[in-house]
């Protein structure tokens, strides 16, 4: 029996129109879908009239479920991996199952599609020819060490952050990068209330002190001048 295949399928980060025709086709054709949150993904699948068996696959259970998933694919079933929003593996579960499939000679195909970091970077107005993606900073252990290292980074830096920690993070940026450093904060990308605030760290902090941040957030921070 031929082995199946793992498809890594990006899903919209907000606007449902951002899913591709190909992604919809793959989700309809596979034998089962691995979803970060089956309730969230269930809404997406229902919208596009996709009726497939879903299995929960998230950071709290992925170590336990990988062997079973790999065996299913080895047995000839095709699987699709999706996250709540965006591309799996980018600050979302995905790396472990992809690595395991690669090590078992299972074909992995990642579809191009929605991700928050690219539109945030492009519309920031900051240099986009060279950049580094940092995702979510460590919340406790290693956070200050990471920031100290990044203080010497010349490339544009990309971070993900929750609205509840945004002001704390921007204030720490001032400590390590200086209040004059240029920053761009994008929130609710692709959604109705999409907004990007650009300027010096000090000014952007003042903005969000006056207006409480909401929604998913991407921070684009200019690197140190060479």
């Amino acid at each position: 029996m031929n082995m199946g295949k793992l498809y890594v399928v990006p899903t919209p980060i907000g606007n449902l129109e951002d899913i591709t025709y190909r992604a919809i086709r793959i989700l309809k054709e596979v034998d089962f879908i691995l979803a970060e949150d089956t309730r969230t993904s269930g809404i997406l699948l229902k919208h596009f009239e996709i009726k497939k068996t879903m299995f929960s696959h998230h950071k709290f259970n992925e170590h336990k479920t990988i062997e079973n998933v790999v065996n299913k694919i080895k047995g000839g079933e095709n699987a699709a991996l999706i996250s709540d929003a965006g591309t799996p593996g980018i600050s979302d579960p995905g790396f472990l199952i992809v690595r395991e499939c690669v090590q078992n000679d299972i074909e992995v195909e990642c579809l191009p599609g929605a991700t928050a970091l690219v539109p945030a970077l492009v519309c920031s107005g900051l240099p986009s020819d060279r950049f580094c993606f940092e995702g979510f900073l460590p919340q406790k252990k290693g956070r200050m060490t990471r920031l100290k290292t990044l203080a010497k980074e010349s490339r544009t830096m990309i971070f993900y952050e929750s609205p509840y920690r945004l002001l704390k993070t921007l204030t720490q940026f001032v400590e390590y990068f200086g209040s004059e450093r240029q920053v761009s904060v994008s929130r609710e990308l692709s959604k109705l209330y999409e907004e990007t605030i650009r300027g010096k760290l000090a000014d952007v902090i003042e903005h969000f002190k006056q207006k409480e941040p909401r929604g998913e957030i991407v921070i684009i921070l200019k690197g140190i001048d060479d």
Side-chain angles (χ1 to χ4, degrees):
M1 180 184 291
N2 292 329
M3 284 199 294
K5 186 174 179 179
L6 175 68
Y7 293 92
V8 181
V9 182
T11 55
I13 60 173
N15 192 320
L16 293 180
E17 294 179 359
D18 291 337
I19 198 166
T20 66
Y21 290 122
R22 183 177 169 210
I24 294 172
R25 176 178 61 79
I26 293 297
L27 291 175
K28 286 183 175 180
E29 290 178 354
V30 294
D31 296 291
F32 64 93
I33 296 171
L34 302 171
E36 185 179 2
D37 186 325
T38 54
R39 293 165 299 180
T40 300
S41 297
I43 296 170
L44 176 74
L45 299 187
K46 184 177 180 180
H47 180 82
F48 290 106
E49 300 179 344
I50 299 169
K51 298 177 181 179
K52 285 292 170 180
T53 300
M54 272 195 296
F55 296 105
S56 181
H57 183 82
H58 48 72
K59 65 180 180 180
F60 301 109
N61 75 353
E62 58 183 339
H63 288 276
K64 299 176 183 178
T65 59
I66 283 177
E67 184 178 356
N68 184 46
V69 171
V70 167
N71 286 337
K72 281 178 173 292
I73 300 174
K74 278 185 172 182
E77 295 186 56
N78 292 316
L81 172 68
I82 59 176
S83 64
D84 289 348
T87 302
I90 305 298
S91 291
D92 274 325
F95 163 69
L96 291 178
I97 185 66
V98 169
R99 181 180 66 181
E100 196 68 18
C101 285
V102 169
Q103 291 177 347
N104 281 271
D105 295 322
I106 293 170
E107 186 177 356
V108 177
E109 185 173 332
C110 182
L111 279 61
T115 184
L117 68 95
V118 173
L121 173 64
V122 172
C123 76
S124 71
L126 296 174
S128 57
D129 55 333
R130 296 173 64 244
F131 59 89
C132 61
F133 175 69
E134 289 294 321
F136 288 97
L137 286 166
Q139 289 189 34
K140 295 180 181 178
K141 186 179 180 181
R143 186 180 180 93
M144 298 305 146
T145 302
R146 180 79 61 81
L147 287 171
K148 188 176 181 180
T149 300
L150 291 173
K152 302 173 184 177
E153 178 60 65
S154 61
R155 296 171 294 178
T156 300
M157 292 163 273
I158 304 172
F159 304 89
Y160 286 167
E161 192 51 279
S162 81
Y164 312 106
R165 292 194 298 268
L166 177 62
L167 277 172
K168 175 187 175 182
T169 296
L170 293 178
T171 301
Q172 289 177 332
F173 282 0
V174 168
E175 182 181 345
Y176 287 89
F177 305 107
S179 61
E180 299 290 300
R181 184 71 67 91
Q182 291 290 316
V183 67
S184 173
V185 176
S186 293
R187 65 180 195 87
E188 295 290 82
L189 285 164
S190 84
K191 300 177 185 177
L192 183 61
Y193 297 105
E194 177 176 335
E195 179 183 51
T196 295
I197 304 299
R198 309 170 183 85
K200 297 175 182 177
L201 272 169
D203 296 332
V204 174
I205 288 172
E206 190 59 35
H207 170 85
F208 285 111
K209 282 182 178 179
Q210 302 297 324
K211 184 178 180 181
E212 182 182 358
R214 294 180 180 180
E216 300 298 317
I217 288 172
V218 185
I219 305 171
I220 310 295
L221 185 69
K222 189 175 186 296
I224 192 171
D225 292 328
D226 292 329

